[in-house]
C-alpha cells in the first residue's frame, strides 16, 4: 500500500469515522472476554474491539499508518458485535468498523482477481433477483443431475481457495424451479387474524432456503397473522455494508423501504438474524440523507424476528411435540447483539414436549460464519468453529438449532468436520417448530 493510498485512507477515516465515538471507548476491557478473535489469538490486544478502536483512532490522529497490518486486524474482526451489549459506554463498535472498512475498500487498489470477485458478488449477483434465481436453477440442476456426486468424487473443488469443498457439502436440497416461480404475495391467517405483517423474504432465504421461508410463513399463519409479501423487495444489503460497499448497501436499503412503506402492517417480519440486524439500522445507514432519514426510521421501527411475534401471539402455549432428542440453541450474533432477541427462541424451544433442551456454554459466542468470513478468513473461522463444536459435544446435542442461514451452514460444516452426520443435525428454528406442530421430525 503506497503512501498516497495511505494518505487517502487517513483522510477518509477523519471524514467518515465518528471521532466522539472513538473517544467514548474507556479502555475498560469489558469487551475482551466476549471477542472471539481476542480469545483465539492468545489475547492479542490488536485483535480485540478495544485494540481495533485504538488502531482507528491512531490512524485518525496521525500516529499510526493505515498499512496492511491495520487492514489485516480490521478484516480479522467477525463483526459479531458481542462487544456492544457489554460496553458500559455504549460504543457502537459495529458502526465504526463498517465505516473503516468502507474507506479502505474504496481507496485501496485491489489485485485484478480480487476486484473481479468482489464485483461479481457485490454488484453483479446479490443486487439482482433474476441472477440469484439463475444461480438457484443451476444449483438445482447441479444436485439433481448427478453432477454434484461427480464433482465431489473428483475432488475438483479442493483446488479452489478457502474451504469451498467443505462448504459445498452444507448446501441444503434446492427447491424446484416451479416453486421458485410461484412465490405468494399474500397469505391469510388461519382462524381469526390477530396481526397483519409484511414478510421480508430476502434473497438467499427465498431461494436456497425457500423451505425455511415457507415454514416461517406457515407458523405465522397458524399464530394468527395475515401476511403480505411485497414483490419489490430484494437483498437487505448486509453483505455490502459489512464488506465495505456502503453505497450499494444504501441503494438496496432504499429499494426495500419503498417496497414496504406503503403497507399498513403491524410489523415487518423476517427469519434471518444477519439481515435483520441491518434492517433495524437502516436509519443509521441513511442518517445523512434528509429525504430518507425519517422513512428509514419508520421502516426500522417495525422490523421484528419471527420468534418474537410467535411468543407475543402465545404460540408457545400450543401443543408442540417431537420425538425424544437432545436440543441445544446457537445464537445468531446479530439477532442477539443487534436485534436484542435471545429469550424468544429459547421460550419456543422449551415449549416442545418430548425433547430435552440443554443450554450450551457460550451459546452467544460466534460460530465463525460471519457472512463470507469462513471463506476469506478460513483459518480463524475454523478455529472458532472447532471451539463451538466443543461446547456442542459437551451437552451431547443431537439437534443444533439456530436462526440465521450463515450460522446454519456453519454448524452443518462443524458436524461434517466432526464426522457426526449420523448422530447430529443442524436445523433452522422455523423448520424445527413446524416439525413440532404435528409432532413430526427425527428421533
Amino acid at each position: 500500500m503506497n503512501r498516497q493510498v495511505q494518505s487517502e485512507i487517513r483522510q477518509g477515516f477523519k471524514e467518515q469515522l465518528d471521532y466522539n465515538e472513538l473517544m467514548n471507548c474507556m479502555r475498560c476491557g469489558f469487551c475482551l472476554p466476549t471477542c472471539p478473535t481476542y480469545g483465539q489469538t492468545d489475547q492479542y490486544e490488536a485483535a480485540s474491539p478495544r485494540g481495533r478502536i485504538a488502531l482507528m483512532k491512531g490512524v485518525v490522529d496521525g500516529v499510526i499508518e493505515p498499512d496492511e497490518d491495520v487492514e489485516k486486524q480490521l478484516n480479522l474482526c467477525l463483526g459479531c458485535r458481542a462487544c456492544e451489549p457489554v460496553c458500559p459506554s455504549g460504543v457502537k463498535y459495529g458502526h465504526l468498523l463498517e465505516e473503516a472498512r468502507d474507506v479502505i475498500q474504496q481507496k485501496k487498489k485491489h489485485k485484478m482477481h480480487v476486484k473481479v470477485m468482489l464485483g461479481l458478488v457485490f454488484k453483479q449477483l446479490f443486487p439482482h433477483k433474476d441472477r440469484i434465481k439463475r444461480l438457484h436453477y443451476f444449483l438445482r440442476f447441479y444436485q439433481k443431475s448427478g453432477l454434484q456426486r461427480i464433482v465431489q468424487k473428483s475432488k475438483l473443488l479442493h483446488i479452489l481457495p478457502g474451504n469451498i469443498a467443505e462448504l459445498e457439502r452444507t448446501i441444503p436440497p434446492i427447491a424446484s424451479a416451479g416453486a421458485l416461480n410461484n412465490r405468494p404475495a399474500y397469505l391469510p391467517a388461519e382462524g381469526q387474524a390477530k396481526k397483519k405483517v409484511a414478510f421480508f423474504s430476502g434473497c438467499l432465504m427465498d431461494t436456497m432456503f425457500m423451505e425455511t421461508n415457507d415454514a416461517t410463513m406457515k407458523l405465522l399463519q397458524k399464530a394468527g397473522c395475515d401476511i403480505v409479501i411485497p414483490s419489490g423487495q430484494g437483498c437487505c444489503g448486509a453483505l455490502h455494508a459489512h464488506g465495505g460497499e456502503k453505497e450499494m448497501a444504501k441503494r438496496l436499503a432504499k429499494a426495500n423501504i419503498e417496497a414496504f412503506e406503503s403497507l399498513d402492517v403491524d410489523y415487518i417480519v423476517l427469519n434471518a438474524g444477519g439481515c435483520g440486524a441491518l434492517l433495524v439500522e437502516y436509519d443509521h445507514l441513511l442518517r445523512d440523507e434528509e429525504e430518507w432519514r425519517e422513512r428509514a426510521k419508520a421502516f426500522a421501527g417495525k422490523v421484528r424476528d419471527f420468534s418474537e411475534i410467535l411468543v407475543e401471539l402465545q404460540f408457545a402455549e400450543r401443543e408442540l411435540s417431537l420425538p425424544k432428542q437432545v436440543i441445544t440453541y446457537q445464537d445468531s450474533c446479530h439477532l442477539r447483539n443487534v436485534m436484542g432477541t435471545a429469550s424468544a427462541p429459547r421460550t419456543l424451544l422449551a415449549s416442545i414436549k418430548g425433547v430435552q433442551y440443554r443450554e450450551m456454554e457460550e451459546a452467544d459466542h460466534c460460530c465463525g460464519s460471519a457472512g463470507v468470513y469462513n471463506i476469506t478468513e478460513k483459518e480463524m473461522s475454523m478455529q472458532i468453529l472447532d471451539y463451538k463444536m466443543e461446547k456442542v459435544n459437551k451437552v451431547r446435542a443431537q439437534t443444533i438449532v439456530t436462526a440465521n442461514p450463515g450460522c446454519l451452514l456453519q454448524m452443518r460444516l462443524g458436524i461434517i468436520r466432526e464426522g457426526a452426520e449420523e448422530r447430529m443435525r443442524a436445523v433452522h428454528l422455523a423448520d424445527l417448530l413446524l416439525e413440532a406442530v404435528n409432532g413430526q421430525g427425527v428421533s
Side-chain angles (χ1 to χ4, degrees):
M1 194 182 298
N2 62 44
R3 290 189 176 276
Q4 177 62 33
V5 173
Q6 289 182 347
S7 176
E8 291 175 359
I9 290 175
R10 175 175 287 110
Q11 186 60 35
F13 273 34
K14 289 180 179 179
E15 293 173 357
Q16 289 187 216
L17 269 64
D18 186 337
Y19 195 76
N20 289 331
E21 199 69 41
L22 291 171
M23 290 293 291
N24 279 342
C25 177
M26 302 186 301
R27 300 188 59 76
C28 64
F30 281 20
C31 62
L32 301 183
T34 72
C35 179
T37 55
Y38 180 73
Q40 292 295 329
T41 56
D42 296 324
Q43 301 182 341
Y44 181 49
E45 179 69 18
S48 72
R50 180 176 71 178
R52 292 182 178 110
I53 288 174
L55 290 176
M56 294 181 221
K57 184 176 180 297
V59 170
V60 174
D61 291 341
V63 297
I64 294 177
E65 292 296 328
D67 55 17
E68 283 80 3
D69 289 336
V70 171
E71 182 185 7
K72 177 182 176 181
Q73 287 306 328
L74 295 181
N75 287 339
L76 193 64
C77 178
L78 293 129
C80 69
R81 297 174 69 168
C83 51
E84 293 186 21
V86 301
C87 178
S89 299
V91 175
K92 294 295 184 183
Y93 171 80
H95 296 167
L96 293 170
L97 178 69
E98 287 179 6
E99 294 292 352
R101 284 177 170 173
D102 181 59
V103 171
I104 293 172
Q105 179 69 17
Q106 302 312 315
K107 303 298 183 182
K108 183 180 178 181
K109 292 175 174 56
H110 294 286
K111 293 180 180 178
M112 182 55 66
H113 72 280
V114 175
K115 189 174 181 180
V116 169
M117 183 188 73
L118 292 174
L120 285 173
V121 172
F122 290 132
K123 297 177 182 178
Q124 301 303 320
L125 178 59
F126 281 97
H128 304 281
K129 292 175 71 173
D130 58 330
R131 294 174 189 174
I132 292 180
K133 279 188 176 183
R134 287 182 209 140
L135 175 62
H136 176 98
Y137 299 147
F138 170 76
L139 288 175
R140 171 79 176 179
F141 172 78
Y142 176 69
Q143 289 183 339
K144 294 296 182 180
S145 65
L147 182 59
Q148 183 177 33
R149 290 191 297 274
I150 295 172
V151 170
Q152 288 178 346
K153 287 181 179 179
S154 71
K155 299 190 183 300
L156 181 65
L157 294 176
H158 289 271
I159 67 174
L160 298 177
N163 54 345
I164 300 296
E166 290 180 310
L167 289 171
E168 184 267 350
R169 294 177 61 190
T170 69
I171 297 174
I174 303 298
S176 68
L180 179 64
N181 292 322
N182 290 283
R183 304 305 288 149
Y186 173 79
L187 294 169
E190 291 187 10
Q192 181 182 0
K194 302 173 184 177
K195 296 286 182 182
K196 183 179 180 182
V197 303
F199 187 68
F200 184 83
S201 52
C203 46
L204 289 183
M205 284 306 301
D206 214 42
T207 50
M208 186 184 294
F209 298 93
M210 187 191 305
E211 291 184 358
T212 300
N213 265 4
D214 289 342
T216 305
M217 290 187 282
K218 286 177 184 176
L219 293 169
L220 291 169
Q221 285 179 280
K222 291 179 181 299
C225 293
D226 286 336
I227 308 171
V228 181
I229 308 100
S231 60
Q233 63 177 301
C235 176
C236 66
L239 282 178
H240 301 80
H242 305 329
E245 292 286 347
K246 185 178 175 182
E247 289 307 311
M248 181 58 74
K250 286 183 176 182
R251 284 175 52 188
L252 294 169
K254 291 172 184 176
N256 285 323
I257 291 169
E258 287 182 331
F260 283 87
E261 65 183 346
S262 63
L263 303 176
D264 181 21
V265 295
D266 298 299
Y267 301 115
I268 297 169
V269 184
L270 76 165
N271 56 12
C275 299
L278 186 68
L279 298 185
V280 298
E281 292 193 336
Y282 271 2
D283 53 339
H284 174 78
L285 182 66
L286 299 171
R287 68 192 182 282
D288 296 327
E289 300 193 31
E290 186 174 350
E291 178 189 351
W292 289 94
R293 190 182 303 122
E294 291 303 316
R295 296 166 72 182
K297 185 177 180 180
F299 176 97
K302 288 188 174 183
V303 175
R304 298 288 188 280
D305 185 71
F306 82 102
S307 63
E308 295 280 5
I309 305 305
L310 293 183
V311 170
E312 179 182 334
L313 297 178
Q314 301 179 321
F315 193 82
E317 297 179 13
R318 298 172 67 100
E319 286 293 324
L320 303 174
S321 65
L322 283 172
K324 184 179 179 181
Q325 57 193 289
V326 177
I327 291 176
T328 195
Y329 180 68
Q330 161 62 23
D331 285 282
S332 156
C333 292
H334 285 149
L335 180 61
R336 183 183 183 108
N337 300 326
V338 184
M339 295 186 72
T341 297
S343 63
R346 290 171 168 84
T347 297
L348 293 164
L349 291 173
S351 72
I352 303 174
K353 295 179 176 63
V355 306
Q356 182 180 2
Y357 176 76
R358 294 178 185 170
E359 183 77 11
M360 77 167 104
E361 294 177 3
E362 299 182 78
D364 58 347
H365 189 282
C366 185
C367 65
S369 173
V372 295
Y373 187 92
N374 54 7
I375 297 174
T376 60
E377 300 288 344
K378 176 189 174 181
E379 183 178 352
M380 179 59 72
S381 176
M382 293 304 100
Q383 284 182 228
I384 293 169
L385 177 57
D386 291 343
Y387 180 81
K388 175 62 65 176
M389 291 306 296
E390 289 178 15
K391 307 303 181 185
V392 171
N393 289 326
K394 200 169 181 179
V395 297
R396 300 182 183 276
Q398 294 165 285
T399 300
I400 308 168
V401 185
T402 190
N404 185 63
C407 303
L408 181 60
L409 295 181
Q410 185 80 340
M411 298 316 297
R412 285 178 180 170
L413 178 56
I415 293 170
I416 291 170
R417 286 168 63 86
E418 292 277 317
E421 294 159 276
E422 296 300 318
R423 60 180 173 85
M424 193 185 299
R425 65 169 179 159
V427 62
H428 191 284
L429 176 62
D431 294 310
L432 187 80
L433 289 174
L434 190 60
E435 289 178 7
V437 168
N438 297 314
Q440 299 173 348
V442 298
S443 59

